[in-house]
Amino acid sequence: MAAEPKIIHLSADGATGTGLTPLQLDPADFQSSLPKQNAHVAFSDDTAGLNVGVWDTTDMQEAFGPYPGDEFILVLDGAFSMLDADNNGVTAGQGDLVAFRNGAPLSWLQKGYLKKFFLTLQPPDTDPPALPTAEGGVIVIDPATNLTDADILSEEDSTGSGAVEREIVFFTNDSATMSVGLWDCQAFDAEDMSPFPCHELVVMAEGEVTIREPGGISQSFGPGDVFFVPAGAVCSWHVPRYIRKFFAAVDL
């Protein structure tokens, strides 16, 4: 039997042949009438409280309260607002990348349909922190953010590709186990396969990468592709020219 890839190419349609699965919802979680929501979880680590996948919803407003976990999303369709206690909102829409802070007191207001890719981190058996305000609880990332020479990583902090790497971190969660940022690099070719050091959700912005795994497995990703690399996945990265990616990295 051929080996299965550990690196997951996410699809907006969810699982091949089955799509998204309807969710059972609790009325107590909503100020509005119940919406219709569906999801497909492409990767899950119950011990860490980590989930990666695609989710959609119809019109709704969630109950006001602490946001349940740290999250990074790419909005695929639609737009939404996150409201604080004074009904001041942060709005994001199609193509936006957004990070949410665990425990931020917020309410998700949804007008019309929305679909998103997501990575959520919510350790089991732990309650969200009681944050006094929603300030800094929602970060909408500008996809046109430019990296400069001031963002060049030191050799110690780089991946060891041998090429010049640059990085900006937009968000780090309170437990310092999750970071969201932008990384770029010139061409490089990693000959040796090694275990990937963390969980990482990647949104490709520019360039191409071919990732090889044991057993002759090879996947190539380009602009617009979204994929997930589990921690410990043995692989090597081959970048034929400049690459630019947004990422959410979880290091537990």
Side-chain angles (χ1 to χ4, degrees):
M1 180 181 294
E4 292 291 332
K6 292 186 176 181
I7 294 169
I8 302 167
H9 189 179
L10 271 67
S11 167
D13 297 324
T16 302
T18 59
L20 308 186
T21 301
L23 299 177
Q24 298 297 317
L25 304 176
D26 184 348
D29 292 335
F30 298 90
Q31 300 181 43
S32 65
S33 57
L34 283 180
K36 292 182 179 179
Q37 295 184 350
N38 307 278
H40 168 67
V41 177
F43 178 89
S44 183
D45 182 337
D46 292 338
T47 301
L50 174 68
N51 290 284
V52 176
V54 58
W55 173 92
D56 72 0
T57 186
T58 56
D59 295 64
M60 58 94 179
Q61 183 170 6
E62 292 180 343
F64 181 81
Y67 200 77
D70 297 299
E71 183 172 13
F72 171 67
I73 71 169
L74 167 62
V75 181
L76 297 170
D77 192 6
F80 68 95
S81 296
M82 299 299 297
L83 305 181
D84 65 14
D86 297 318
N87 282 326
N88 297 315
V90 175
T91 300
Q94 184 174 358
D96 283 335
L97 300 145
V98 188
F100 303 86
R101 183 184 178 191
N102 183 27
L106 296 163
S107 172
W108 185 305
L109 176 62
Q110 185 61 48
K111 296 182 179 181
Y113 178 76
L114 183 128
K115 178 180 277 191
K116 67 180 183 181
F117 283 134
F118 67 85
L119 179 150
T120 58
L121 181 64
Q122 185 180 14
D125 302 322
T126 60
D127 294 326
L131 301 181
T133 72
E135 185 176 358
V138 184
I139 299 172
V140 181
I141 298 165
D142 182 359
T145 300
N146 289 317
L147 291 157
T148 70
D149 287 347
D151 304 311
I152 293 175
L153 292 173
S154 66
E155 184 176 349
E156 179 182 359
D157 293 331
S158 71
T159 65
S161 68
V164 174
E165 302 176 30
R166 303 184 296 182
E167 182 177 282
I168 294 175
V169 174
F170 304 105
F171 168 78
T172 301
N173 70 347
D174 291 337
S175 59
T177 57
M178 175 178 167
S179 60
V180 172
L182 170 64
W183 176 91
D184 76 353
C185 187
Q186 299 299 325
F188 68 90
D189 188 17
E191 296 182 1
D192 297 330
M193 294 188 186
S194 60
F196 204 71
C198 63
H199 298 291
E200 185 169 283
L201 181 65
V202 175
V203 179
M204 289 287 292
E206 189 175 343
E208 296 178 3
V209 59
T210 296
I211 305 178
R212 297 171 185 165
E213 299 177 70
I217 297 169
S218 178
Q219 297 187 77
S220 295
F221 305 101
D225 286 333
V226 179
F227 63 93
F228 177 72
V229 185
V234 177
C235 59
S236 62
W237 290 46
H238 305 263
V239 177
R241 56 183 183 274
Y242 174 79
I243 183 176
R244 171 184 167 94
K245 67 173 186 179
F246 291 93
F247 66 86
V250 176
D251 191 359
L252 301 171

